[in-house]
């Protein structure tokens, strides 16, 4: 249940906490909300009521809402995998107040303005949180990029290896050159799934239930070869590029060198790469399958070191669910074959507690988590000044978070459409108590009222 309803959602309201996570650190404060925005941040206890509705959180922490720039909603076209209502409901329950939807797995994909319009029309009235869209750059649609950008997409996703769905083909080198040259010209952000198809083809392909065989089929080299080729192309075209879901720590030295060389490159990683490890994946448990794959514990430690050093701009979910039968899950009568199962992790509602559980163990603060999961992704998509921080003038997207609240994950109790997640059965620390979107409580009650946002 929410800690408090806000009875006059657009009237003045104060949220008070002894632990407010602000851009310059955590301190006691009163946050005044008016018209859906943060109007004032004042000393704890100083903004007394009058006609203002007061929510006093006590020691419960107040965080800015998370910004998740990597979510596959899959609607329209594969709505049985996921949809706007269920995905954004899960987001709200997990403290995520802004979702940017990926351009593929929906049919049509977001590779034309018509595709974008289909998405927007379908999403209308279904979103619990604010929602934006990525476009896609595929072979042959270079001419669609500028109109899509003008229509407000946040940038363009391309795959360097097969994406898993036929209607979103990967780019060969010549397609990549033309897509990046065009994106440099129009000032768009290119976001890239970086695995190299030649390395994947050369790797041993051993189907079956053993996770180590699946891992061997998608080696570190597939990521490093793809990233090296991408960085070279970015350098020559001048495009701004972002590496999606870095799984292998072996790519980090390449990114460092390219940055030192003036290439405009950022990178993200995901909760599953930071909190799960190959050693603990049970045979046949395809809920853990994603591409690139979850690697070993020493790699996970190296990703944490890079995160601590500021080498990742964002930690985002890559929520990419499908139906249990396509996951080939054994409890649904499937084979548990990692090679044949759909690759994608469902975790939108769990990113914050999963990361906090591991971050705390490693000595990090909630300010660090906010930098990785809220301010960082907001800056990636140009939303700093609207989203990603408790700051005057920003949208009042807020989360009441109990950093000591423990819970056991039950897949069927999560709000995303299909009851599958690799976190099932785990005990996580950190519970979202209430989520506010533009000053209104959204995580449990009320009607959807997220709005569609565009790149400005
Ligand atoms: Zn993805």
């Amino acid at each position: 249940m929410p800690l408090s309803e806000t009875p006059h959602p657009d009237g003045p309201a104060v949220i008070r906490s002894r632990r407010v996570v602000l851009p310059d650190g955590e301190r006691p404060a009163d946050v005044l909300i008016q018209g859906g925005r943060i109007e004032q941040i004042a000393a704890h206890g100083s903004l007394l009521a009058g006609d203002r509705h007061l929510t006093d959180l006590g020691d419960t922490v107040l965080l800015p809402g998370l910004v998740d720039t990597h979510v596959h909603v899959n609607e329209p076209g594969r709505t049985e995998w996921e949809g706007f209502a269920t995905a954004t409901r899960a987001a709200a329950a997990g403290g995520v107040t802004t979702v940017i939807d990926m351009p593929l797995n929906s049919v049509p994909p977001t590779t034309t303005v018509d595709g974008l319009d289909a998405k927007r029309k379908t999403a209308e009235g279904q979103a619990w949180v604010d929602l934006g869209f990525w476009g896609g750059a595929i072979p042959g649609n270079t001419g669609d990029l500028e109109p899509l950008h003008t229509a407000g997409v946040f940038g363009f996703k391309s795959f360097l290896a097969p994406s898993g769905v036929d209607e979103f083909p990967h780019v060969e080198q010549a397609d990549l050159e033309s897509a990046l040259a065009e994106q440099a010209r129009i000032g768009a952000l290119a976001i890239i799934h970086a695995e190299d198809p030649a390395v994947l083809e050369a790797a041993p392909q051993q189907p079956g239930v053993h996770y180590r065989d699946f891992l061997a089929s998608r080696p570190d080299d597939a990521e490093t070869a793809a990233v090296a080729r991408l960085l070279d192309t970015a350098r020559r075209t001048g495009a701004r590029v972002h590496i999606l879901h870095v799984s292998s720590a072996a790519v980090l030295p390449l990114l460092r060198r390219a940055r030192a060389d003036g290439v405009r490159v950022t990178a993200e990683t995901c909760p599953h790469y930071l909190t799960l490890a190959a050693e603990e994946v049970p045979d046949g448990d395809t809920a853990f399958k994603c591409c690139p794959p979850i690697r070993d514990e020493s790699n996970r430690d190296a990703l944490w070191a890079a995160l601590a050093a500021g080498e990742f701009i964002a930690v985002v979910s890559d929520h990419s669910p499908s139906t249990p039968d396509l996951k080939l899950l054994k409890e649904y009568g499937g084979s548990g074959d990692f090679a044949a199962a759909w690759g994608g992790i469902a975790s939108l509602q769990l990113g914050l507690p999963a990361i906090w559980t591991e971050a705390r163990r490693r000595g990090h603060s909630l300010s660090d988590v906010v930098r990785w999961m809220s301010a960082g992704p907001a800056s990636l998509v140009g939303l700093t000044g609207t989203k990603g921080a408790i700051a005057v003038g920003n949208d009042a997207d807020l989360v009441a978070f109990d950093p000591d609240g423990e819970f056991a994950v039950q897949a069927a109790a999560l709000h995303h459409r299909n009851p599958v997640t690799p976190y099932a059965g785990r005990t996580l620390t950190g519970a979202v108590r209430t989520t506010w979107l533009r000053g209104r409580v959204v995580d449990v009650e009320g009607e959807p009222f997220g709005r569609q946002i565009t790149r400005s």
Side-chain angles (χ1 to χ4, degrees):
M1 289 297 291
L3 288 173
S4 166
E5 285 292 334
T6 305
H8 307 294
D10 299 318
V14 173
I15 302 177
R16 172 175 299 163
S17 164
R18 277 190 282 277
R19 300 185 60 187
V20 179
V21 177
L22 298 167
D24 59 353
E26 185 183 306
R27 63 171 186 269
D30 282 6
V31 178
L32 174 65
I33 298 163
Q34 174 91 58
R37 292 196 172 180
I38 297 169
E39 179 85 13
Q40 189 186 352
I41 298 163
H44 185 273
S46 70
L47 295 179
L48 286 173
D51 63 340
R52 293 168 180 170
H53 180 263
L54 173 69
T55 301
D56 190 341
L57 299 179
D59 291 322
T60 299
V61 181
L62 189 67
L63 305 174
L66 272 54
V67 176
D68 194 335
T69 54
H70 196 151
V71 177
H72 295 265
V73 176
N74 305 334
E75 186 178 5
R78 288 195 179 86
T79 308
E80 69 279 15
W81 294 14
E82 188 61 287
F84 288 107
T86 46
T88 58
R89 186 69 190 77
V96 175
T97 49
T98 303
V99 162
I100 312 289
D101 171 57
M102 279 293 169
L104 74 157
N105 301 347
S106 58
V107 183
T110 318
T111 50
T112 63
V113 171
D114 284 350
L116 176 64
D117 288 344
K119 280 267 195 188
R120 284 178 167 164
K121 200 158 169 268
T122 310
E124 199 60 53
Q126 292 206 67
W128 289 82
V129 302
D130 285 351
L131 183 65
F133 301 94
W134 293 107
I138 59 172
N141 86 328
T142 302
D144 292 295
L145 303 186
E146 186 168 26
L148 273 165
H149 204 233
T150 303
V153 298
F154 284 86
F156 297 94
K157 183 175 195 178
S158 294
F159 278 74
L160 302 188
S163 73
V165 293
D166 293 339
E167 69 279 359
F168 200 98
H170 72 281
V171 290
E172 304 287 355
Q173 185 57 27
D175 309 313
L176 179 66
E177 300 266 359
S178 88
L180 290 194
E182 176 67 353
Q183 291 184 73
R185 188 184 74 78
I186 65 177
L189 171 64
I191 61 170
I192 308 292
H193 179 119
E195 289 183 287
D196 186 88
V199 176
L200 295 177
E201 266 170 42
Q205 302 297 330
Q206 175 69 49
V209 299
H210 298 305
Y211 187 76
R212 64 178 176 273
D213 292 334
F214 170 63
L215 187 55
S217 76
R218 304 194 86 103
D220 296 75
D221 291 356
E223 286 187 70
T224 54
V227 167
R229 181 158 65 88
L230 173 68
L231 292 172
D232 180 56
T233 314
R235 182 183 289 111
R236 281 185 286 103
T237 56
R240 181 182 160 217
V241 297
H242 175 72
I243 320 287
L244 298 163
H245 48 52
V246 170
S247 150
S248 170
V251 309
L252 294 162
L254 303 179
L255 299 181
R256 273 176 230 136
R257 276 204 295 279
R259 281 189 195 114
D261 217 22
V263 176
R264 295 187 297 161
V265 58
T266 52
E268 70 185 32
T269 189
C270 307
H272 39 279
Y273 302 128
L274 292 164
T275 68
L276 307 175
E279 290 88 338
E280 66 198 28
V281 178
D283 280 351
D285 194 347
T286 50
F288 288 81
K289 178 179 175 179
C290 57
C291 301
I294 295 162
R295 303 187 190 277
D296 66 19
E297 284 170 6
S298 64
N299 178 78
R300 181 176 60 180
D301 289 343
L303 292 177
W304 273 100
L307 186 60
E311 294 183 47
F312 290 111
I313 193 171
V315 175
V316 289
S317 69
D318 193 8
H319 178 71
S320 186
S322 71
T323 53
D325 59 314
L326 288 175
K327 278 304 248 181
L328 304 178
L329 287 165
K330 285 187 158 169
E331 60 262 48
Y332 290 85
S335 64
D337 180 347
F338 279 101
W342 171 256
I345 299 275
S347 66
L348 183 52
Q349 194 175 334
L350 298 172
L352 175 57
I355 286 293
W356 173 236
T357 301
E358 188 69 15
R360 181 154 86 165
R361 198 175 73 73
R362 291 171 183 264
H364 292 289
S365 68
L366 278 170
S367 287
D368 293 329
V369 174
V370 163
R371 198 167 61 252
W372 303 329
M373 304 189 83
S374 186
S379 76
L380 173 69
V381 291
L383 289 173
T384 305
T386 310
K387 307 289 191 187
I390 300 178
V392 171
N394 272 21
D395 289 346
D397 298 345
L398 300 164
V399 177
F401 183 70
D402 174 0
D404 302 312
E406 286 201 346
F407 66 101
V409 177
Q410 293 175 277
L414 300 172
H415 291 283
H416 67 263
R417 175 149 289 153
N418 290 292
V420 178
T421 179
Y423 297 96
R426 278 168 197 263
T427 298
L428 299 179
T429 306
V432 172
R433 298 296 187 206
T434 306
T435 301
W436 292 264
L437 180 69
R438 286 175 278 115
R440 293 196 205 174
V441 173
V442 290
D443 75 333
V444 176
E445 315 207 351
E447 294 295 322
F449 82 113
R451 66 183 166 191
Q452 294 183 25
I453 55 175
T454 54
R455 185 190 47 78
S456 54

